[in-house]
């Protein structure tokens, strides 16, 4: 029962639309009416400025991290922390608090990776920064980062799969 409650809490945590709320409360602007119409970090930076963008980035990152760490905090076994993080990402993208609208979930996804594998996040951050430096496009940097994340996972799984019999036979 606790697991189900925490899974729902992960979705609800991810669904908190920090960009929308910061825009409405502090700037009297609805992010849905400006730029891409998303409530995430990138649109917040573009529409509300650096301070608001950094705040939204930090909150979105932390909600992904917190959701991923919930099973650790509550000693939940049998469900991967990544499932909790995925629900936060889904919550961010389809927020119940914002008529099932949201952001692209790049910062929230980074938070999930931070909670699960901080070193892997550093690797992806390096990729993101290099692509951003070369092309000056956040969206391209995010997509290339996601591709490198998938490649990193596939390589890791392949390597683990190949070496598992060796480890088991020792």
């Amino acid at each position: 029962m606790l697991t189900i409650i925490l899974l729902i809490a992960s979705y609800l945590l991810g669904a908190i639309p920090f960009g929308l709320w910061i825009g409405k409360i502090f700037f009297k602007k609805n992010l849905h009416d400006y730029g891409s119409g998303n409530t995430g970090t990138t649109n917040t930076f573009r529409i509300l400025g650096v301070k608001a963008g950094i705040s939204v980035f930090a909150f979105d990152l932390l909600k992904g991290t917190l959701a991923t760490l919930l099973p650790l905090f509550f000693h939940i076994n049998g469900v991967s922390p990544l499932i909790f993080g995925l629900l936060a990402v889904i919550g961010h993208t389809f927020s119940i608090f914002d008529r099932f609208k949201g952001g692209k979930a790049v910062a929230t996804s980074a938070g999930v990776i931070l909670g699960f594998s901080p070193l892997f996040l550093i690797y992806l951050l390096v990729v993101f920064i290099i692509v951003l430096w070369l092309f000056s496009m956040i969206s391209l940097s995010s997509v290339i980062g996601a591709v490198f994340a998938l490649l990193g996972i596939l390589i890791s799984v392949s390597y683990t799969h190949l070496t598992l019999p060796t480890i088991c036979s020792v």
Side-chain angles (χ1 to χ4, degrees), residues 149-162:
L150 290 173
L151 289 173
I153 291 166
L154 289 173
I155 290 168
S156 175
V157 168
S158 296
Y159 180 75
T160 303
H161 178 70
L162 291 174

Side-chain angles (χ1 to χ4, degrees), residues 19-34:
L20 181 67
W21 291 354
I22 287 173
K24 284 184 174 183
I25 293 168
F26 297 106
F27 296 86
K28 309 299 184 226
K29 288 186 178 182
N30 182 342
L31 286 176
H32 291 304
D33 298 335
Y34 300 94

Side-chain angles (χ1 to χ4, degrees), residues 115-134:
F116 190 75
S117 179
L119 290 177
F120 191 58
L121 180 62
I122 292 170
Y123 153 73
L124 295 175
L125 185 60
V126 168
V127 170
F128 181 90
I129 290 170
I130 289 171
V131 175
L132 185 61
W133 179 73
L134 291 173

Side-chain angles (χ1 to χ4, degrees), residues 5-82:
I5 291 169
L6 292 176
L7 288 167
I8 293 168
S10 294
Y11 168 81
L12 293 173
L13 181 63
I16 299 171
F18 287 110
L20 181 67
W21 291 354
I22 287 173
K24 284 184 174 183
I25 293 168
F26 297 106
F27 296 86
K28 309 299 184 226
K29 288 186 178 182
N30 182 342
L31 286 176
H32 291 304
D33 298 335
Y34 300 94
S36 67
N38 290 326
T39 61
T41 299
T42 302
N43 203 39
T44 302
F45 263 106
R46 289 182 184 141
I47 304 307
L48 304 179
V50 174
K51 287 181 184 177
I54 290 172
S55 298
V56 170
F57 173 77
F59 285 128
D60 286 351
L61 181 89
L62 290 174
K63 68 185 182 183
T65 303
L66 180 59
T68 304
L69 294 175
L70 280 177
L72 178 69
F73 296 152
F74 288 91
H75 308 289
I76 302 294
N77 296 313
V79 180
S80 172
L82 291 176

